Amino acid sequence: MTDLIAAEILKLRTTRTVWALLAATVGVTMLAVTGAVLAADSGNATLDLESDRGVRTVLHVSASGGIFVLVLGIIIAAGEYRQRTAVGTFLTTPRRSRVIAAKLVVGAGVGTVFGALAALAAFGAANHNYRAKGYTFPVDSSDVWTILGGAVLYAALFGAIGAATGSLVRNQVGAIVGWLAWLAVAENILFQISPSIGRWLPVAAGRALVRDPDGDLLSQPVAAVVLAAYAAAIMAVAMISERRRDA
Amino acid sequence: MIEIEDVVKRYGETTAVDGVSFSAASGQVTGFLGPNGAGKTTTLRVLLGLARPDRGRAVIDGAAYADLPAPRRTVGAVIDDMGFHPARTGRNHLRVVARAAGLPSRQVDEVLDFVDLPDAADRRVGGYSQGMQQRLALATALLGDPAVLVLDEPANGLDPAGVVWLRNLLRSWAAEGRTVLFSSHVLSEVETVADHLVIINAGHLAADESAADLRSSGRPLEEVFLSLTTAAHR
């Protein structure tokens, strides 16, 4: 399994996709945090940026780049079909569930690295913009660290969910479009219909993980378990359906 | 030693392979012939564990491909729908395979030399000619120094020098007691190199005999092939 994981990492390092998505993740995170500070500080805003709620409002957007980690996870798995490299991968490792598991681990691992760099960028952007507007960024507040830690976990879990989805769906564009439609539209509607069920859905669980101040969301640990369960469930379905599928 | 036993493979209503059995012995080059759509690639995909047969089984040295403890060390395969990531260099493609298969990385340089690709090794595969891609595919197959070669149309895209090189490779591989099974459209090529011939047509086995027997019949391979593969349509 170690060899397989190392090979999956080597696959990523030997194309350019991963660097483009890393740049996008960090860039979008910095923009989102900067935007959140500016919005909260605009003329008619009543939010106290130095309060707990202020910190949560600004920092929960540090998961904004997570969408690119989800896309990367999908590419890790479904990209093999797009580039027709899946056959070679299965010739090397005919036990396909091992390939699926390795890809999930790498999706989570790369997500952790992306998430850590994005959290660092979010911290820097928040600190800089607070100072620029004449506020003090409350670095000793535990909120700062639970939110940034949540953002790292968010990226790790969505990287895993992306990889599992890519293995299941195989169609890279379809998987990405499907998830974007879910994130942008479908889950929102479900959440409006029933918040008590909606908060168990992936986007709401992700928001809980970065302690979004709005809405009656799950606690951070429960949200992490819920997202991990989604990743595991999608992976399990992928492994089972792979037993019947041709490469 | 490769054994195909009563393999049936259906795609929806179409039966691509319908009860084909044959074997490819070690120490021999076995040529696998058939018109387009005869079921050659499907049979090889079943053999390599890429497609699940609806009936029958295919084994390599007694084991199904998926049960081989070290597939890349046992079987070297070139198959039609195997692609390369266009942005990855040839060398990095081989490094990935070596890593996943637990093979030492020095074998990457060895096979690159062997297929005469060292100059192009650090260029992106997207810029390779078809012949260079075919050499890279062969390098991938040879990476694990396997005892069995399964090659689907390995001469595709090779220039005349490449074809001669491939012919010598297949011969020397078999001379070392290894097993070679390769498919081709090019009858003259198969006739030159194969010790044994298997011909399939419309999913059925049409011939399974030694090249020597075929030669002694006095009929040219082309004539035999056409009579076997067009009869079913009449």
Side-chain angles (χ1 to χ4, degrees):
Chain A
M1 201 64 187
T2 323
D3 281 340
L4 272 190
I5 291 168
E8 288 297 329
I9 293 169
L10 188 58
K11 281 179 192 173
L12 280 178
R13 282 176 40 218
T14 50
T15 65
R16 289 161 292 192
T17 317
V18 67
W19 308 114
L21 286 170
L22 177 60
T25 306
V26 172
V28 162
T29 304
M30 290 173 76
L31 282 175
V33 170
T34 302
V37 174
L38 297 182
D41 187 51
S42 65
N44 50 2
T46 55
L47 181 68
D48 174 6
L49 270 173
E50 291 173 10
S51 70
D52 285 355
R53 188 175 171 83
V55 168
R56 287 173 68 179
T57 302
V58 167
L59 276 191
H60 88 271
V61 301
S62 50
S64 306
I67 183 76
F68 297 107
V69 180
L70 178 70
V71 168
L72 180 64
I74 291 170
I75 290 173
I76 286 173
E80 295 252 21
Y81 296 92
R82 188 174 173 79
Q83 307 294 353
R84 303 194 311 129
T85 53
V87 164
T89 297
F90 292 145
L91 286 176
T92 309
T93 315
R95 309 255 166 174
R96 297 182 202 164
S97 52
R98 290 168 55 84
V99 174
I100 294 172
K103 286 180 182 296
L104 180 121
V105 169
V106 171
V110 176
T112 305
V113 174
F114 274 41
L117 293 172
L120 206 64
F123 179 85
N127 202 18
H128 172 81
N129 284 292
Y130 268 62
R131 198 172 298 169
K133 293 288 174 189
Y135 300 100
T136 308
F137 186 55
V139 288
D140 49 357
S141 155
S142 67
D143 287 326
V144 170
W145 305 106
T146 54
I147 295 168
L148 291 181
V152 176
L153 211 50
Y154 181 104
L157 290 168
F158 272 95
I161 287 174
T165 307
S167 293
L168 175 63
V169 177
R170 287 186 172 187
N171 181 323
Q172 184 175 307
V173 175
I176 292 173
V177 169
W179 263 112
L180 287 182
W182 179 267
L183 298 178
V185 186
E187 185 174 325
N188 236 335
I189 295 170
L190 292 173
F191 194 84
Q192 302 298 332
I193 294 170
S194 169
S196 61
I197 297 172
R199 64 195 201 135
W200 297 91
L201 297 173
V203 180
R207 282 169 52 211
L209 208 47
V210 285
R211 302 190 58 216
D212 187 330
D214 294 321
D216 179 23
L217 299 172
L218 302 172
S219 73
Q220 255 189 323
V222 173
V225 171
V226 165
L227 285 174
Y230 280 121
I234 299 168
M235 179 177 78
V237 177
M239 285 177 173
I240 291 165
S241 58
E242 202 58 58
R243 281 190 211 153
R244 281 181 238 117
R245 287 201 281 198
D246 291 346
Chain B
M1 176 82 169
I2 294 168
E3 290 158 288
I4 310 280
E5 295 169 7
D6 194 26
V7 165
V8 174
K9 178 65 184 176
R10 297 187 193 94
Y11 293 104
E13 297 291 293
T14 316
T15 304
V17 179
D18 194 2
V20 166
S21 303
F22 67 88
S23 58
S26 53
Q28 287 199 339
V29 177
T30 302
F32 191 29
L33 296 164
N36 289 332
K40 298 190 298 289
T41 299
T42 302
T43 305
L44 297 182
R45 281 171 54 79
V46 168
L47 174 63
L48 296 170
L50 299 168
R52 253 152 274 266
D54 293 291
R55 199 178 74 202
R57 59 177 207 143
V59 293
I60 295 160
D61 294 337
Y65 191 92
D67 295 328
L68 295 172
R72 288 280 186 189
R73 291 177 196 268
T74 312
V75 182
V78 171
I79 190 94
D80 195 33
D81 53 0
M82 187 177 77
F84 304 104
H85 196 298
R88 197 171 283 139
T89 67
R91 186 189 307 279
N92 280 336
H93 159 76
L94 291 168
R95 284 176 64 212
V96 166
V97 177
R99 198 76 186 82
L103 299 167
S105 55
R106 67 177 152 72
Q107 282 179 235
V108 169
D109 297 316
E110 282 175 23
V111 291
L112 280 169
D113 280 337
F114 191 76
V115 303
D116 200 19
L117 211 58
D119 296 338
D122 295 309
R123 300 213 309 263
R124 295 181 197 283
V125 176
Y128 281 22
S129 67
Q130 203 198 344
M132 286 159 77
Q133 290 202 23
Q134 195 65 5
R135 282 173 186 266
L136 183 58
L138 285 162
T140 313
L142 300 175
L143 192 61
D145 196 23
V148 175
L149 282 180
V150 177
L151 309 174
D152 192 16
E153 301 283 353
N156 263 5
L158 292 180
D159 56 19
V163 171
V164 173
W165 169 83
L166 176 68
R167 188 189 301 157
N168 292 333
L169 168 72
L170 300 187
R171 282 218 184 99
S172 64
W173 217 257
E176 290 172 23
R178 309 196 211 207
T179 308
V180 179
L181 174 64
F182 82 109
S183 76
S184 181
H185 285 97
V186 189
L187 297 181
S188 59
E189 192 48 45
V190 179
E191 203 167 19
T192 324
V193 73
D195 304 300
H196 194 91
L197 293 167
V198 174
I199 302 176
I200 65 168
N201 184 46
H204 293 91
L205 193 70
D208 180 2
E209 56 186 311
S210 78
D213 284 353
L214 199 78
R215 263 193 296 276
S216 66
S217 75
R219 295 168 74 197
L221 177 59
E222 191 171 73
E223 193 187 309
V224 175
F225 179 83
L226 290 175
S227 73
L228 286 172
T229 57
T230 50
H233 296 302
R234 280 182 195 146

